[in-house]
Amino acid sequence: MVIIMKHHASSDEIQSVMQYVESLGFKAHPVYGDERTIIGVIGDERPVEPETFDLLPGVERTMRVLHPFKLASRDFHPEDSIVKINGVSVGGNQVVVIAGPCSVESREQLMETAAAVKEAGAHILRGGAFKPRTSPYAFQGLGLKGLELLREAREQYHLPILTEVMSPQEVTLVAQYSDILQIGARNMQNFALLHAVGETQKPVLIKRGLMSTIEELLMAAEYVLSHGNLRVMLCERGIRTFETATRNTFDINAIPVLKAMTHLPIIADPSHGTGKWEYVTPIARAAVAAGADGLIIEVHPEPTKALSDGAQSLKPEKFSSLVTEVRRVAEAVGRTM
Amino acid sequence: MVIIMKHHASSDEIQSVMQYVESLGFKAHPVYGDERTIIGVIGDERPVEPETFDLLPGVERTMRVLHPFKLASRDFHPEDSIVKINGVSVGGNQVVVIAGPCSVESREQLMETAAAVKEAGAHILRGGAFKPRTSPYAFQGLGLKGLELLREAREQYHLPILTEVMSPQEVTLVAQYSDILQIGARNMQNFALLHAVGETQKPVLIKRGLMSTIEELLMAAEYVLSHGNLRVMLCERGIRTFETATRNTFDINAIPVLKAMTHLPIIADPSHGTGKWEYVTPIARAAVAAGADGLIIEVHPEPTKALSDGAQSLKPEKFSSLVTEVRRVAEAVGRTM
Amino acid sequence: MVIIMKHHASSDEIQSVMQYVESLGFKAHPVYGDERTIIGVIGDERPVEPETFDLLPGVERTMRVLHPFKLASRDFHPEDSIVKINGVSVGGNQVVVIAGPCSVESREQLMETAAAVKEAGAHILRGGAFKPRTSPYAFQGLGLKGLELLREAREQYHLPILTEVMSPQEVTLVAQYSDILQIGARNMQNFALLHAVGETQKPVLIKRGLMSTIEELLMAAEYVLSHGNLRVMLCERGIRTFETATRNTFDINAIPVLKAMTHLPIIADPSHGTGKWEYVTPIARAAVAAGADGLIIEVHPEPTKALSDGAQSLKPEKFSSLVTEVRRVAEAVGRTM
Amino acid sequence: MVIIMKHHASSDEIQSVMQYVESLGFKAHPVYGDERTIIGVIGDERPVEPETFDLLPGVERTMRVLHPFKLASRDFHPEDSIVKINGVSVGGNQVVVIAGPCSVESREQLMETAAAVKEAGAHILRGGAFKPRTSPYAFQGLGLKGLELLREAREQYHLPILTEVMSPQEVTLVAQYSDILQIGARNMQNFALLHAVGETQKPVLIKRGLMSTIEELLMAAEYVLSHGNLRVMLCERGIRTFETATRNTFDINAIPVLKAMTHLPIIADPSHGTGKWEYVTPIARAAVAAGADGLIIEVHPEPTKALSDGAQSLKPEKFSSLVTEVRRVAEAVGRTM
């Protein structure tokens, strides 16, 4: 940390801050400037709250020096992590495509979608059984029945499955059916849930909260990693801003920033990132051009009849065009798909 | 809902949208304008996603007419709701003060704080036993031990208790110790948790998510109300914006807006709303001047030693001044405290 | 500044950064930590861009230590500044009320409003002659004719005048008619205009841009102050956030934050801060409770017929109630009005 | 517009709103729902403020149906506009590259940069002579001397010139030297300036304000178009959000959204969009993959010595690699560069 003293801080105040800092086991190095004195604090600052030092007399503010995460950081793990899921490798040279309906609605709907996305080139099947919905009056998912249909689709189409888990007590159940556990955007800081999936050995896809910084996303990953589960993937799915022309603002910058900060694979979700089917393909192309390791795309055979997220779901034939278009971009940036 | 057709929409497209709308059980009333045709859709739109209609050929966009919440709305419950908690009434003429430490850290710390806030005029004691922390390396709360200390403080100081519950399987346990269940800001859209507290009859305080709209806060309340628990209070605690001079931006507008939209009591949290102890008192005064029904304030006997939120905690003597200052403002707006 | 070196930065890189820093006339003090070395940079950092140092090999990032403003800072001017305008003092113990129509529309409208706000207790009359409008098709103000009507109202009602100036070449003209020059929110970073008003000796009210940080607002003030005009007042008028329930989010925190950072008077604009007349009075009360030195309020005799901002304008009788209610709050916080 | 009446609005209130609407020359069509009555308002709503109708008794809120812009809209101009500048066509199949230093600092710096960007494949030279700077203490540009150097570079390297104009009275001067007039992000709603460039016939590049909506960007274009200048280009350069890992959040969604809403060419600025040189190339690739018609890139021979924006400037050799990489992506999406 660096503690910045106030303009008029007295030398007693400076001494007293330094003594306090050293009483906590840190070393304190003052640097006396013309307008301000700053105090460099040496030691592992991660367990403390820097803002607390602002309370000491004469302190103006305190700034972190170290990132608050460690296991997720490239500093301590310079090589890219590759997460292997039943023969699919996420984080390597190949751009991976995860596709399927927002919600599992019926056997027909799921099987038709699974067949279509497999045919178009998807590597993993997504589908929601437990659905987080803003309204208590909206469709809440098929639950266990949905999980069983997903297992059936996996057997039939040889596609690994990704589905969301919404609460700690359902982790064991969902882990029996799914190859990847998804932590939804609204649960990114549900720490009890992060703790629970951290104790499994299942691959986890953490979606960035719509209100969460990149650093907070990495801290959510740190929760899972620090509980022993190293198979973590991150997903940029759009953030909330003042702009209302799209459902969310897809933070394209987050892709190269995350690639620089962490070794974990980065997946892009242009369906939620835009909220409108007609923008999904251009943003999918952009995400891969920016360096994403994979895509997650909502596909529905009849979007107007979808029980959730119809407006941002692609029909199978549009999804097939998306794959063709994105593959060209992937090749232009030196990757396969 | 109102469906707005594209500028060049054909009469076939208009007909076909109307037929589709009616096939879902709604009535459709077209209004033919010079540049656009709009279609008024009559019926309960709450269970549908308006965006789905945007997929129909010729549709430009669809707008909601009804609020998506009902039980939380003043339209259907014009009178203010008053939540009674062991003799304390929240939502009436008296401004209620909830105070205590961010985290329960030890018996001494809790009892000293409880004595001080009681003495200063607080009505309810707050304290965290299960703590949601951004970092897995930070203090996570005393858990059950913390709950037991809270119960002890309640007996000794005759103050009802408010503490946070973080996951559905802990609701029964926490409800045995606490008079009010707090849903934290990061769990505002943890729907499994909202569902679980909705099935108790304990008063619930829902904190607004740091990037949740007022409408989403009301939808979170609707989850609890629709599962049968009508004792719901809402809390404005600051939102995340581009401004970094304060930890959060306290949304003072939300207070009169919520008072207009809902009958539920509104509590203000200037501690999280600012993140800095020196701004807590002016914002507490402002919140009451704007119409808040209560305050929740973090108090700690030695903020520099607090294990969480020290920077925004008041010392007991400052809290006592806050109560005195806010009481004058409460009286100036015709309330007691 | 503080330069934070990368985790793996070599000692050659550290040396080379220090040499570069010293070649610019600064002194460099390294502090060697366990995970990172930091370099304290001593000297006046205001003319440089800290980010530029991030380009040097081995640098992770650079953080400012000093505020970029000086004349606006309380560090160098601890006493409150009081701006005197024809007998009205802004920034002292009295809360000052500025009121009037958004736009000057006609002699009748202006005189009727001026009479009413004077009667209700306003100290200064506001009114727009040159209007910044988002749409080129909207009413753009009466221009010179509007200025003449404002002068007429000043004579008749003995109220100083505040009106907006929109471009550098109009500063001389507007200064002949107006007692206070308003810089509108959308022009807060129109540096040519700030420069021009800085060269007059007229009091200036700078409205915070809806996208501007508190620091940027103070930098806008610094432009005016550094060109020699010391009669500057600041105005919080709401910022743009994700929340759409109100036109803007009134940043109540900005009031105590600005009072701590600067000696300049702070005015609150609850009309723009909310965008809806029914929220103007509670937010006016809140702003004064939080420490604002004054209010600026839009008043119109017939809001439904207003050519701009009708929705947020108060009728004269509502304005009169506002003054009564706010005066009680002002007294509760030890001020007059 | 659509006027939504309150839940309990009386039939007298509905009648009275309809009469008022018709008194303004609109036609009013009521649609009676179960919970709400809505009133469709027919006629050109652009000159009115919909919020004003919220003031009428019984009205809950009013929603626009028409976009507030017309000349910028694809509805009225379905074909892409192509802006021709001395032999360079912007808005056609070729992706156009604009490059150069943030500020013109000296003849050597400008000529060296111009030679390098020409060699690497740029089509247009950018460079700032009048610089909008947040701090009055920062380098403000060379002014007229800068314009003369730009003219010299144009002659020598046969590259059209783009430079910023900051105030209405400088438009004539800058137009004598520059082939394209840039309106900077902080001046996007400087309506006096938009008016002034609208009266020239020079091509104009309007940069999106850092907290302006897409609709407001189109309204800024409408100002220029409605004053008779049809040679308008728009630029996405990043918006301000809560995320601080990058200087701005590049709104990649804005590219396909703008292409759908308007016929005007869309340029992407990944230098400002990220604020860090190492992210410029991936975001440049992404912008072209998403459909941008051109790029504007900051290049400096020695970024650490740049007087402005050094941190986001590319060295000539990095810029050359950027062009090579982006060209591959352009070809993958069916364009030339």
Side-chain angles (χ1 to χ4, degrees), chain A residues 83-133:
Chain A
V83 178
K84 295 192 178 170
I85 305 141
N86 294 2
V88 179
S89 290
V90 184
N93 191 59
Q94 190 186 34
V95 175
V96 169
V97 181
I98 307 167
C102 176
S103 300
V104 178
E105 296 168 6
S106 68
R107 173 175 287 112
E108 295 64 31
Q109 173 245 22
L110 182 63
M111 298 304 156
E112 185 179 341
T113 311
V117 302
K118 170 90 180 183
E119 167 75 19
H123 308 97
I124 296 172
L125 179 65
R126 63 151 290 156
F130 297 94
K131 296 299 305 171
R133 304 304 301 279

Side-chain angles (χ1 to χ4, degrees), chain D residues 260-279:
Chain D
M261 291 174 82
T262 186
H263 51 92
L264 301 170
I266 314 303
I267 307 297
D269 176 350
S271 304
H272 287 86
T274 62
K276 274 201 145 171
W277 71 268
E278 63 259 57
Y279 305 134

Side-chain angles (χ1 to χ4, degrees), chain D residues 68-262:
Chain D
F69 50 88
K70 201 159 177 174
L71 299 171
S73 168
R74 254 197 210 282
D75 284 349
F76 298 93
H77 188 308
E79 300 299 308
D80 283 349
S81 283
I82 294 181
V83 177
K84 295 192 179 170
I85 306 140
N86 295 1
V88 179
S89 290
V90 184
N93 191 59
Q94 191 185 33
V95 174
V96 169
V97 181
I98 306 166
C102 176
S103 299
V104 178
E105 297 168 4
S106 69
R107 174 177 286 112
E108 296 64 32
Q109 173 244 21
L110 183 62
M111 297 304 156
E112 186 180 340
T113 311
V117 302
K118 170 90 180 184
E119 167 75 19
H123 309 97
I124 296 172
L125 179 66
R126 63 151 289 155
F130 297 95
K131 295 299 304 171
R133 303 304 300 278
T134 302
S135 169
Y137 309 123
F139 175 64
Q140 309 275 321
L142 296 182
L144 179 58
K145 175 72 186 158
L147 293 178
E148 285 168 353
L149 290 171
L150 285 166
R151 178 189 276 173
E152 193 180 325
R154 173 171 52 181
E155 303 310 311
Q156 195 166 339
Y157 296 101
H158 305 289
L159 288 167
I161 296 296
L162 172 145
T163 199
E164 177 163 353
V165 59
M166 283 178 62
S167 84
Q169 71 265 45
E170 287 161 357
V171 168
T172 308
L173 175 72
V174 177
Q176 285 166 21
Y177 289 84
S178 189
D179 300 287
I180 308 173
L181 299 173
Q182 177 179 304
I183 302 296
R186 284 169 186 74
N187 277 324
M188 195 202 87
Q189 293 195 314
N190 181 337
F191 302 113
L193 183 58
L194 293 170
H195 185 138
V197 301
E199 291 185 339
T200 73
Q201 288 301 314
K202 279 278 171 181
V204 177
L205 179 78
I206 306 177
K207 299 193 95 173
R208 182 180 179 186
L210 67 170
M211 216 152 167
S212 299
T213 62
I214 290 172
E215 187 176 287
E216 287 168 344
L217 174 58
L218 291 169
M219 289 307 286
E222 193 83 0
Y223 256 90
V224 180
L225 296 165
S226 69
H227 283 97
N229 185 347
L230 303 181
R231 302 171 75 194
V232 176
M233 298 168 283
L234 305 176
C235 179
E236 163 59 34
R237 47 74 76 204
I239 57 173
R240 180 167 276 179
T241 68
F242 64 84
E243 178 58 68
T244 56
T246 45
R247 182 176 174 188
N248 293 295
T249 298
F250 186 79
D251 183 4
I252 189 85
N253 289 357
I255 296 173
V257 170
L258 281 166
K259 294 303 288 181
M261 291 174 82
T262 186

Side-chain angles (χ1 to χ4, degrees), chain C residues 284-307:
Chain C
R285 292 191 314 244
V288 169
D293 297 308
L295 295 172
I296 179 166
I297 308 283
E298 291 188 341
V299 178
H300 195 286
E302 285 189 274
T304 52
K305 298 200 175 155
L307 297 178

Side-chain angles (χ1 to χ4, degrees), chain B residues 260-300:
Chain B
M261 292 173 82
T262 187
H263 51 93
L264 301 170
I266 313 302
I267 307 297
D269 176 351
S271 305
H272 287 87
T274 62
K276 274 200 146 171
W277 70 268
E278 64 260 56
Y279 305 135
V280 172
T281 297
I283 301 307
R285 291 190 314 244
V288 170
D293 297 307
L295 295 172
I296 180 166
I297 307 284
E298 290 187 341
V299 178
H300 195 286

Side-chain angles (χ1 to χ4, degrees), chain C residues 125 127-130 147 150 161-165 174 178 180-182:
Chain C
L125 179 66
F130 296 95
L147 294 178
L150 285 165
I161 295 296
L162 172 145
T163 198
E164 177 163 354
V165 57
V174 177
S178 189
I180 308 173
L181 299 173
Q182 176 179 302

Side-chain angles (χ1 to χ4, degrees), chain B residues 187-239:
Chain B
N187 276 324
M188 195 202 87
Q189 293 195 315
N190 180 338
F191 301 113
L193 182 59
L194 294 170
H195 186 139
V197 301
E199 291 184 340
T200 72
Q201 287 301 315
K202 279 278 171 183
V204 178
L205 180 79
I206 306 178
K207 299 192 95 172
R208 181 179 180 186
L210 66 170
M211 215 153 170
S212 299
T213 62
I214 289 172
E215 186 176 289
E216 287 168 345
L217 173 58
L218 291 169
M219 289 307 286
E222 192 83 2
Y223 255 91
V224 179
L225 296 165
S226 69
H227 283 96
N229 185 346
L230 302 182
R231 303 171 75 194
V232 176
M233 299 167 283
L234 305 177
C235 179
E236 164 58 35
R237 46 76 73 206
I239 57 173

Side-chain angles (χ1 to χ4, degrees), chain C residues 112-134:
Chain C
E112 185 179 342
T113 311
V117 302
K118 171 90 179 181
E119 166 77 18
H123 309 96
I124 297 173
L125 179 66
R126 62 152 291 157
F130 296 95
K131 295 300 304 170
R133 303 305 301 278
T134 303

